[in-house]
Amino acid sequence: MLIIGIAGGTGCGKTTVVNQILNELPEGEVGIISQDSYYMDTTHLSYEERVKINFDHPRSIDFELLENHLKELKAGRAIDQPVYSFVKHNRTGDTIKTKPRKVIIVEGILILTNPELRKMFDIKIFVHADSDERLIRRLKRDITERGRDIDEVLSRYQTTLKPMHQQFIEPMKEYADIIIPNNKYNTVAVNIVKTIINEKLN
Protein backbone atom coordinates (compact mmCIF):
# COMPACT_ATOMS: atom_id res chain seq x y z
CA MET A 1 0.00 0.00 0.00
CA LEU A 2 1.21 3.46 -0.97
CA ILE A 3 0.19 6.24 1.44
CA ILE A 4 0.36 9.81 0.15
CA GLY A 5 -0.05 12.84 2.43
CA ILE A 6 -1.27 16.07 0.83
CA ALA A 7 -1.08 19.19 3.01
CA GLY A 8 -1.19 22.96 2.52
CA GLY A 9 -3.04 25.96 3.92
CA THR A 10 -6.78 26.43 3.92
CA GLY A 11 -8.11 27.13 0.42
CA CYS A 12 -4.76 26.29 -1.21
CA GLY A 13 -6.37 23.93 -3.71
CA LYS A 14 -5.61 20.52 -2.14
CA THR A 15 -8.92 19.15 -3.41
CA THR A 16 -8.09 20.25 -6.96
CA VAL A 17 -4.74 18.47 -6.77
CA VAL A 18 -6.35 15.34 -5.31
CA ASN A 19 -8.93 15.35 -8.12
CA GLN A 20 -6.24 15.83 -10.79
CA ILE A 21 -4.41 12.79 -9.41
CA LEU A 22 -7.60 10.72 -9.17
CA ASN A 23 -8.82 11.58 -12.67
CA GLU A 24 -6.16 9.51 -14.35
CA LEU A 25 -6.08 6.54 -12.01
CA PRO A 26 -8.06 3.31 -12.16
CA GLU A 27 -11.27 3.64 -10.18
CA GLY A 28 -11.41 1.62 -7.00
CA GLU A 29 -7.63 1.47 -6.49
CA VAL A 30 -7.32 4.79 -4.67
CA GLY A 31 -8.96 5.69 -1.35
CA ILE A 32 -9.22 9.15 0.20
CA ILE A 33 -9.02 9.97 3.88
CA SER A 34 -9.72 13.53 4.94
CA GLN A 35 -8.21 15.03 8.07
CA ASP A 36 -11.53 16.89 8.49
CA SER A 37 -13.21 13.59 9.42
CA TYR A 38 -10.83 13.33 12.38
CA TYR A 39 -11.60 16.47 14.34
CA MET A 40 -11.88 15.57 18.02
CA ASP A 41 -15.29 14.43 19.19
CA THR A 42 -16.89 17.45 20.91
CA THR A 43 -20.20 15.89 21.96
CA HIS A 44 -19.49 16.75 25.60
CA LEU A 45 -19.40 20.49 24.76
CA SER A 46 -22.28 22.86 24.08
CA TYR A 47 -22.59 24.39 20.60
CA GLU A 48 -21.44 27.77 22.01
CA GLU A 49 -18.30 26.12 23.44
CA ARG A 50 -17.62 24.28 20.18
CA VAL A 51 -17.73 27.48 18.15
CA LYS A 52 -14.83 28.83 20.24
CA ILE A 53 -12.52 25.90 19.47
CA ASN A 54 -9.42 26.71 17.44
CA PHE A 55 -9.91 24.21 14.62
CA ASP A 56 -6.66 25.27 12.95
CA HIS A 57 -4.49 23.99 15.81
CA PRO A 58 -3.06 20.44 15.70
CA ARG A 59 -4.71 19.78 19.09
CA SER A 60 -8.13 19.85 17.39
CA ILE A 61 -7.28 16.69 15.42
CA ASP A 62 -7.62 13.15 16.75
CA PHE A 63 -4.27 12.05 15.27
CA GLU A 64 -4.25 8.88 17.34
CA LEU A 65 -7.45 7.62 15.68
CA LEU A 66 -6.17 8.64 12.24
CA GLU A 67 -2.89 6.74 12.80
CA ASN A 68 -4.73 3.66 14.07
CA HIS A 69 -6.99 3.74 11.04
CA LEU A 70 -4.04 3.94 8.65
CA LYS A 71 -2.38 1.01 10.45
CA GLU A 72 -5.60 -1.01 10.11
CA LEU A 73 -5.81 -0.26 6.38
CA LYS A 74 -2.13 -1.19 5.95
CA ALA A 75 -2.88 -4.48 7.66
CA GLY A 76 -5.66 -5.10 5.10
CA ARG A 77 -8.61 -4.35 7.37
CA ALA A 78 -11.50 -1.96 6.61
CA ILE A 79 -12.13 1.03 8.91
CA ASP A 80 -15.14 3.14 9.90
CA GLN A 81 -14.15 6.70 9.02
CA PRO A 82 -16.03 9.27 11.18
CA VAL A 83 -18.32 11.79 9.46
CA TYR A 84 -17.91 15.41 10.57
CA SER A 85 -20.40 18.28 10.33
CA PHE A 86 -18.96 21.78 9.87
CA VAL A 87 -22.36 23.23 10.63
CA LYS A 88 -22.57 21.56 14.06
CA HIS A 89 -18.78 21.60 14.70
CA ASN A 90 -18.95 17.96 15.70
CA ARG A 91 -18.95 14.38 14.45
CA THR A 92 -22.38 13.27 13.29
CA GLY A 93 -22.17 9.79 14.78
CA ASP A 94 -22.28 8.27 11.28
CA THR A 95 -19.27 6.53 9.77
CA ILE A 96 -18.13 5.61 6.28
CA LYS A 97 -16.82 2.09 5.72
CA THR A 98 -13.43 2.55 4.05
CA LYS A 99 -11.72 -0.48 2.56
CA PRO A 100 -7.96 -0.91 2.06
CA ARG A 101 -6.78 0.23 -1.39
CA LYS A 102 -3.46 0.04 -3.23
CA VAL A 103 -3.12 3.81 -2.81
CA ILE A 104 -4.48 5.86 0.09
CA ILE A 105 -4.42 9.66 -0.12
CA VAL A 106 -4.60 11.47 3.23
CA GLU A 107 -5.37 15.15 2.83
CA GLY A 108 -5.64 17.99 5.33
CA ILE A 109 -4.04 21.24 6.43
CA LEU A 110 -2.35 19.80 9.54
CA ILE A 111 -1.36 16.27 8.55
CA LEU A 112 2.36 17.03 8.21
CA THR A 113 2.52 18.52 11.72
CA ASN A 114 2.35 15.04 13.26
CA PRO A 115 5.70 13.16 13.30
CA GLU A 116 4.07 9.70 13.54
CA LEU A 117 1.87 10.37 10.54
CA ARG A 118 4.78 11.78 8.56
CA LYS A 119 6.61 8.48 9.04
CA MET A 120 3.64 6.63 7.56
CA PHE A 121 3.52 8.67 4.35
CA ASP A 122 5.46 7.29 1.38
CA ILE A 123 5.11 10.63 -0.42
CA LYS A 124 4.56 13.97 1.30
CA ILE A 125 3.11 16.75 -0.85
CA PHE A 126 2.63 20.40 0.08
CA VAL A 127 0.27 22.50 -2.06
CA HIS A 128 1.30 26.15 -1.99
CA ALA A 129 -0.96 29.08 -2.87
CA ASP A 130 -0.77 32.83 -2.38
CA SER A 131 -2.38 33.93 0.93
CA ASP A 132 -4.83 36.39 -0.73
CA GLU A 133 -5.93 33.64 -3.08
CA ARG A 134 -6.47 31.28 -0.12
CA LEU A 135 -8.52 33.86 1.82
CA ILE A 136 -10.81 34.46 -1.18
CA ARG A 137 -11.36 30.72 -1.65
CA ARG A 138 -11.99 30.24 2.07
CA LEU A 139 -14.51 33.11 2.12
CA LYS A 140 -16.44 31.71 -0.83
CA ARG A 141 -16.47 28.19 0.59
CA ASP A 142 -17.40 29.04 4.17
CA ILE A 143 -20.23 31.36 3.13
CA THR A 144 -21.76 29.10 0.47
CA GLU A 145 -21.07 25.62 1.86
CA ARG A 146 -20.76 26.06 5.62
CA GLY A 147 -23.37 28.70 6.38
CA ARG A 148 -20.94 31.24 7.88
CA ASP A 149 -21.26 35.00 7.50
CA ILE A 150 -18.51 37.23 6.11
CA ASP A 151 -17.65 38.91 9.45
CA GLU A 152 -17.29 35.55 11.16
CA VAL A 153 -14.98 34.22 8.42
CA LEU A 154 -12.81 37.36 8.38
CA SER A 155 -12.52 37.50 12.14
CA ARG A 156 -11.59 33.79 12.28
CA TYR A 157 -9.05 34.36 9.52
CA GLN A 158 -7.32 37.16 11.44
CA THR A 159 -7.47 35.64 14.91
CA THR A 160 -6.77 31.97 14.22
CA LEU A 161 -6.33 30.99 10.59
CA LYS A 162 -3.49 33.32 9.68
CA PRO A 163 -1.43 32.89 12.89
CA MET A 164 -1.96 29.11 12.87
CA HIS A 165 -0.93 28.95 9.22
CA GLN A 166 2.29 30.80 9.99
CA GLN A 167 3.00 28.71 13.10
CA PHE A 168 2.03 25.20 12.02
CA ILE A 169 1.32 24.89 8.32
CA GLU A 170 3.85 26.96 6.37
CA PRO A 171 6.86 25.46 8.29
CA MET A 172 5.74 21.96 7.21
CA LYS A 173 7.05 22.65 3.71
CA GLU A 174 10.45 21.48 4.91
CA TYR A 175 9.07 17.93 5.33
CA ALA A 176 7.50 17.81 1.86
CA ASP A 177 9.01 15.66 -0.89
CA ILE A 178 7.14 17.67 -3.53
CA ILE A 179 5.82 21.24 -3.33
CA ILE A 180 3.08 22.00 -5.85
CA PRO A 181 2.53 25.71 -6.52
CA ASN A 182 -1.18 26.00 -7.14
CA ASN A 183 -1.40 29.57 -8.37
CA LYS A 184 -1.39 28.22 -11.91
CA TYR A 185 -2.52 24.86 -13.20
CA ASN A 186 0.53 22.80 -12.41
CA THR A 187 0.61 19.74 -14.63
CA VAL A 188 4.28 18.78 -14.20
CA ALA A 189 4.21 18.15 -10.44
CA VAL A 190 0.88 16.34 -10.65
CA ASN A 191 2.21 14.18 -13.49
CA ILE A 192 5.27 13.24 -11.41
CA VAL A 193 2.96 12.07 -8.62
CA LYS A 194 0.79 10.12 -11.09
CA THR A 195 3.89 8.42 -12.51
CA ILE A 196 5.03 7.31 -9.04
CA ILE A 197 1.52 6.00 -8.26
CA ASN A 198 1.25 4.15 -11.58
CA GLU A 199 4.60 2.47 -10.98
CA LYS A 200 3.30 1.31 -7.61
CA LEU A 201 0.01 0.07 -9.08
CA ASN A 202 1.72 -1.87 -11.83
Side-chain angles (χ1 to χ4, degrees):
M1 181 187 281
L2 185 74
I3 303 181
I4 300 172
I6 301 185
T10 182
C12 69
K14 286 185 298 299
T15 310
T16 312
V17 170
V18 169
N19 290 335
Q20 284 167 11
I21 293 170
L22 288 181
N23 281 345
E24 316 267 323
L25 296 169
E27 215 176 309
E29 298 203 335
V30 184
I32 303 274
I33 289 190
S34 170
Q35 164 206 290
D36 292 350
S37 306
Y38 291 85
Y39 279 115
M40 290 288 188
D41 188 3
T42 55
T43 311
H44 59 291
L45 300 173
S46 70
Y47 177 77
E48 288 67 33
E49 288 172 307
R50 284 183 220 147
V51 174
K52 296 183 185 136
I53 295 170
N54 177 355
F55 290 101
D56 295 276
H57 192 288
R59 272 196 309 260
S60 65
I61 308 292
D62 190 345
F63 281 120
E64 202 176 318
L65 181 62
L66 179 48
E67 274 166 49
N68 288 340
H69 277 180
L70 284 177
K71 283 174 187 161
E72 287 290 297
L73 289 168
K74 251 191 139 120
R77 292 186 285 269
I79 57 156
D80 294 313
Q81 202 179 157
V83 176
Y84 186 80
S85 160
F86 283 98
V87 177
K88 297 188 177 123
H89 298 291
N90 195 12
R91 293 184 192 168
T92 61
D94 294 329
T95 56
I96 295 172
K97 182 69 83 182
T98 308
K99 296 188 176 80
R101 299 270 196 271
K102 288 185 181 172
V103 178
I104 294 281
I105 293 176
V106 183
E107 61 86 24
I109 61 173
L110 294 162
I111 56 168
L112 293 182
T113 61
N114 184 280
E116 295 310 310
L117 267 190
R118 285 201 303 266
K119 282 182 209 151
M120 297 180 84
F121 298 145
D122 299 294
I123 307 171
K124 297 180 284 298
I125 297 171
F126 189 97
V127 182
H128 170 80
D130 176 75
S131 55
D132 294 347
E133 196 57 38
R134 288 190 297 102
L135 172 59
I136 293 163
R137 286 183 196 149
R138 175 74 180 228
L139 272 172
K140 285 180 180 165
R141 184 185 70 192
D142 279 6
I143 291 164
T144 55
E145 293 173 28
R146 296 179 182 175
R148 312 268 195 265
D149 69 55
I150 190 158
D151 294 332
E152 187 190 346
V153 181
L154 286 174
S155 128
R156 197 175 265 267
Y157 183 82
Q158 286 162 327
T159 55
T160 57
L161 273 173
K162 197 175 178 200
M164 293 301 103
H165 180 84
Q166 288 162 339
Q167 188 179 347
F168 295 110
I169 298 164
E170 196 67 25
M172 291 307 113
K173 271 185 179 168
E174 68 166 295
Y175 296 111
D177 304 307
I178 299 171
I179 294 174
I180 300 184
N182 205 27
N183 35 14
K184 297 184 182 63
Y185 181 62
N186 188 305
T187 47
V188 177
V190 172
N191 286 340
I192 291 171
V193 179
K194 284 181 192 162
T195 305
I196 295 169
I197 294 172
N198 280 320
E199 280 175 8
K200 176 76 177 175
L201 289 177
N202 300 327

